[in-house]
Amino acid sequence: MAEHEWMNEIRALVGKEYGRVYAWDKVNAPMIRQWCEVMGVDDARYLSAGTVTAPPAMLQVWCMEGFTQNNYPPGSTTENPYEALKMMEAHGLASVVAVNSELTFKRDVVEGERLYYATRLDTISPEKTTALGTGFFVTLVMTFFSQKPEGDEEVGQLLFRVFKFRAAQAAAPAEKPAMPAPAKRPPPGISDDTRFFWEGAKAGKLLIQRCKSCGTLRHPPGPVCSHCHSFDWDTVESSGRGTVYSFVVMHYPEVPPFDHPNPIALIELEEGTRLISQLVGVKPGEVRIGDAVQVEFNTFNNGELVLPQFRPVAVTPGASA
Ligand code: ZN
């Protein structure tokens, strides 16, 4: 297939050398120590007193721009070594993905050396089609040097290859239905241990698992009593009365079908067990620990799901706790 004519101008850049980018700082022990700390490197060669050797993998670090983009030390080039990518963008190759990064080293660099690098546009591949789309592999090579009075010395190279491409056409979006189906609540995972709880909710009952051997109540449900290790259990029906033991108000992510902000509480039932549930009928900013609440059973997902939820209730003055 004949190549697009506009590629001629871009291919003419192959082999171009771009100017130097200098390091802000000489190779120095504090940066080495901090880098080693972050990376979890404890090799004594990089951390001992005396002349410190820099870990080879730090090579790229020395000439980085810092927090401010394109803030390079005086004398550094203002040329853009990625100009070939910019030119491809102008022809609709808007996407980019990094595919290779290879560091090679000539020797260690040590404390006190001042480095710079120069970039060469090494190769541009023939047009390729991948699962991502159609475009070109572009390879840049950054060669790092140490400045020396007797002549600068090459210390290593970084090869960096990207795929610059026009994304494969996504399938045409299907026509939207007039009324999108409302999002469903994620259903609970139900096991043999928890089935009674959800079946109870469908019947309008808040059930708590009880050890048949020692009578200890437990929630969340499980196969064995943590008190006496008995596997025998039955259930008791809770009054549904409780208090807010703790709570969070979830603001993000805003996931349908939930309302936001979404108050979620750890409820302590008057029987003594606790469970997590959504609060209803309360403004998220007005939830307080210790609020009295009462269970109610609400139906979701077109009748498929019944959830116990809790609503704050006024406490009758003088009523015993
Ligand atoms: Zn027990």
Side-chain angles (χ1 to χ4, degrees), residues 95-123:
S95 302
V96 68
V97 60
V99 289
N100 291 74
S101 177
E102 293 170 16
L103 268 171
T104 53
F105 313 102
K106 291 240 169 174
R107 65 162 173 83
D108 285 326
V109 298
V110 298
E111 193 176 1
E113 292 191 88
R114 187 178 289 277
L115 306 186
Y116 67 86
Y117 72 83
T119 304
R120 184 180 74 255
L121 176 56
D122 195 52
T123 58

Side-chain angles (χ1 to χ4, degrees), residues 205-259:
K205 294 177 179 178
L206 187 64
L207 298 180
I208 307 171
Q209 202 176 24
R210 175 174 62 185
C211 174
K212 271 173 98 169
S213 176
C214 74
T216 301
L217 301 181
R218 61 179 187 257
H219 188 90
V224 65
C225 174
S226 62
H227 184 67
C228 75
H229 304 148
S230 168
F231 284 87
D232 294 329
W233 58 271
D234 61 4
T235 60
V236 292
E237 184 178 348
S238 167
S239 69
R241 287 190 293 272
T243 52
V244 174
Y245 186 82
S246 185
F247 69 96
V248 294
V249 177
M250 191 167 140
H251 291 259
Y252 294 99
E254 295 185 350
V255 180
F258 299 101
D259 294 330

Side-chain angles (χ1 to χ4, degrees), residues 139-196:
T139 305
L140 296 159
V141 174
M142 280 146 263
T143 305
F144 287 78
F145 297 88
S146 177
Q147 289 182 288
K148 299 279 178 194
E150 65 272 18
D152 298 345
E153 185 185 353
E154 184 183 330
V155 293
Q157 279 193 337
L158 172 63
L159 176 151
F160 194 64
R161 181 173 297 136
V162 301
F163 184 48
K164 187 72 179 155
F165 62 101
R166 181 184 287 109
Q169 284 295 331
E175 218 157 284
K176 282 190 176 175
M179 275 287 287
K184 289 186 171 182
R185 287 187 178 238
I190 296 178
S191 71
D192 286 346
D193 292 325
T194 62
R195 186 166 291 108
F196 77 91

Side-chain angles (χ1 to χ4, degrees), residues 18 80-87 140 142 160 162:
Y18 296 84
N80 180 5
Y82 299 98
E83 64 177 329
L85 303 185
K86 285 274 165 217
M87 292 161 77
L140 296 159
M142 280 146 263
F160 194 64
V162 301

